[in-house]
């Protein structure tokens, strides 16, 4: 009967939820030791000029190689890091490591590339963030304009007054702000207008479906026009094919990033690509 069914449903959900929270707990405990055990690393993915295909920057993407769990995806461990607070020490390590890597590349003559680092909501709402970014830049002797912070709409919007203060301080420092995964969050155009952003990154879901029909083409077109009208640079994420690139170029998209150019790779493996396509 209904009662029986209800109970089974309940059981089903609890065991599934239990398995999920066990996994989360397991990840959290392992992640606690990941930094000191040297299991975290950064991969870098080039960002290229959509017209010339020259490298304009790289995005740092976190990787976690665990001896038993294998390679854990950021999509799985970033939320765990975020909810446990571990994202704060890990995020600081990411900022420092990315800045030091850019310093190394600049010393080798790659003076025109920017470094983009992802920030989660929790990092962004830390009052010390602007001081941390300033110190990291100083230690690596970097001009602030070559540093970009990528933030999703929802991370920027979850506490607007606090966000505005942090953003104003970051802007004063001279670092650039990119809105990541644009089109998938809930920011209103009014909110968007108030953010001192420099760049919009069109989410890869729009790019992926470009060849599936007119709707996605029209949406990407509208996003590009809006960004242009607002004086923002625009990057397309997840570019995998020549056709996608051609279309984005025609629209006037400034930059592109995706497997068509290169997958994210360790610093030593991406270097030759950066040197070949430098301005
Ligand atoms: P994101 O910042 O939007 O990064 C883009 C994601 O798309 C990356 O996944 C990248 O590997 C992937 N990608 C790039 N080009 C292509 C393509 O052509 N096709 C497809 N299918 N995918 C492509 P990844 O490295 O797994 O990272 C996932 C997300 O995890 C990132 O999304 C970002 O939100 C978060 N993340 C990564 N590193 C960090 C970090 O250091 N700190 C924080 N807070 N979040 C991070
Ligand atoms: Mg990003
Ligand atoms: Mg993105
Ligand atoms: Mg994303």
């Amino acid at each position: 009967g209904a009662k029986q069914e209800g109970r089974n449903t309940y059981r089903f959900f609890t065991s599934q939820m239990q398995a999920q929270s066990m996994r989360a707990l397991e990840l959290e405990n392992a992640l606690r030791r990941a930094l000191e055990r040297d299991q975290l690393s950064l991969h870098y993915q080039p960002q290229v000029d959509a017209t010339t295909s020259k490298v304009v920057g790289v995005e740092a993407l976190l990787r976690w190689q665990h001896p038993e769990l294998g390679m854990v995806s950021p999509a799985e461990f970033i939320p765990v890091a975020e909810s446990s607070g571990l994202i704060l020490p890990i995020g600081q390590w990411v900022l420092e490591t990315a800045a030091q890597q850019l310093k190394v590349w600049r010393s080798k003559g790659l003076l025109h590339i920017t470094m983009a680092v992802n920030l989660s909501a929790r990092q962004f709402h830390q009052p010390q963030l602007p001081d941390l970014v300033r110190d990291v830049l100083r230690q690596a002797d970097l001009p602030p304009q070559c540093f970009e912070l990528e933030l999703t709409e929802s991370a920027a919007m979850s506490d607007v007054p606090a966000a505005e203060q942090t953003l104003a301080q970051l802007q004063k420092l001279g670092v650039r702000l990119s809105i990541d995964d644009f089109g998938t969050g809930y920011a209103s155009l009014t909110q968007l207008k108030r953010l001192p952003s420099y760049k919009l990154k069109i989410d890869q879901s729009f790019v992926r479906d470009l060849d599936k029909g007119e709707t996605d083409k029209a949406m990407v077109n509208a996003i590009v026009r809006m960004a242009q009208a607002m004086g923002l640079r625009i990057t397309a994420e997840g570019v995998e094919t020549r056709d996608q690139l051609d279309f984005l170029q025609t629209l006037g998209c400034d930059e592109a990033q995706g497997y068509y150019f290169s997958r994210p790779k360790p610093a030593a493996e991406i270097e030759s690509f950066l040197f070949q396509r430098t301005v």
Side-chain angles (χ1 to χ4, degrees):
K3 201 175 169 190
Q4 185 69 32
E5 214 170 81
R7 212 191 302 151
N8 285 341
T9 309
Y10 176 73
R11 250 194 227 131
F12 169 74
F13 276 119
T14 47
S15 61
Q16 195 187 39
M17 278 156 59
Q18 236 166 26
Q20 274 173 6
S21 58
M22 287 278 282
R23 168 80 176 171
L25 208 61
E26 186 189 15
L27 287 181
E28 184 182 324
N29 285 328
L31 198 54
R32 231 169 253 294
R33 289 170 204 92
L35 255 184
E36 64 201 50
R37 295 192 178 168
D38 232 20
Q39 295 165 357
L40 298 182
S41 66
L42 291 182
H43 283 192
Y44 300 91
Q45 187 178 38
Q47 302 178 319
V48 307
D49 182 299
T51 315
T52 64
S53 288
K54 298 276 189 196
V55 175
V56 292
V58 293
E59 177 177 2
L61 292 157
L62 191 54
R63 295 291 177 263
W64 179 20
Q65 179 72 51
H66 186 275
E68 281 103 46
L69 303 170
M71 194 65 119
V72 188
S73 159
E76 192 178 12
F77 76 79
I78 294 285
V80 173
E82 174 92 1
S83 64
S84 61
L86 288 167
I87 195 65
L88 298 180
I90 291 174
Q92 178 168 349
W93 178 86
V94 170
L95 284 167
E96 288 165 353
T97 307
Q100 290 301 324
Q101 184 58 58
L102 185 59
K103 181 187 176 148
V104 169
W105 279 332
R106 287 172 64 85
S107 76
K108 293 182 176 182
L110 294 167
L111 291 169
H112 299 288
I113 59 172
T114 55
M115 176 64 75
V117 174
N118 293 283
L119 285 188
S120 71
R122 185 114 169 217
Q123 287 175 279
F124 181 64
H125 289 115
Q126 223 197 346
Q128 303 94 308
L129 178 73
D131 286 344
L132 173 64
V133 171
R134 187 201 55 212
D135 292 346
V136 162
L137 290 172
R138 260 191 209 152
Q139 273 156 25
D141 203 16
L142 294 177
Q145 299 77 1
C146 66
F147 222 60
E148 284 179 16
L149 299 175
E150 297 194 357
L151 202 61
T152 61
E153 293 162 73
S154 37
M157 290 309 157
S158 54
D159 177 0
V160 177
E164 280 186 343
Q165 205 184 358
T166 304
L167 287 168
Q169 286 174 296
L170 290 170
Q171 197 186 25
K172 213 170 137 204
L173 269 181
V175 295
R176 286 166 171 173
L177 176 76
S178 292
I179 305 296
D180 205 350
D181 303 349
F182 184 75
T184 61
Y186 303 100
S188 71
L189 294 180
T190 309
Q191 289 169 323
L192 190 66
K193 198 174 68 174
R194 289 166 69 182
L195 289 175
S197 26
Y198 172 74
K199 188 187 276 185
L200 291 188
K201 297 186 75 178
I202 304 178
D203 190 66
Q204 54 189 49
S205 58
F206 298 103
V207 177
R208 190 193 310 131
D209 296 338
L210 271 182
D211 44 10
K212 297 223 177 87
E214 294 310 308
T215 309
D216 284 85
K217 281 187 177 156
M219 286 176 79
V220 172
N221 187 13
I223 296 172
V224 174
R225 297 290 156 260
M226 185 193 70
Q228 286 173 338
M230 293 173 77
L232 301 174
R233 283 188 75 76
I234 186 119
T235 300
E237 293 191 277
V239 177
E240 294 187 356
T241 68
R242 177 81 225 181
D243 282 352
Q244 290 167 345
L245 177 65
D246 286 344
F247 181 73
L248 292 160
Q249 248 172 26
T250 314
L251 287 186
C253 198
D254 300 298
E255 295 170 16
Q257 181 179 349
Y259 297 166
Y260 178 68
F261 303 101
S262 171
R263 287 184 177 259
K265 289 177 186 169
E269 288 172 39
I270 206 74
E271 223 171 74
S272 62
F273 186 94
L274 303 183
F275 279 110
Q276 277 160 27
R277 305 234 195 168
T278 191
V279 273

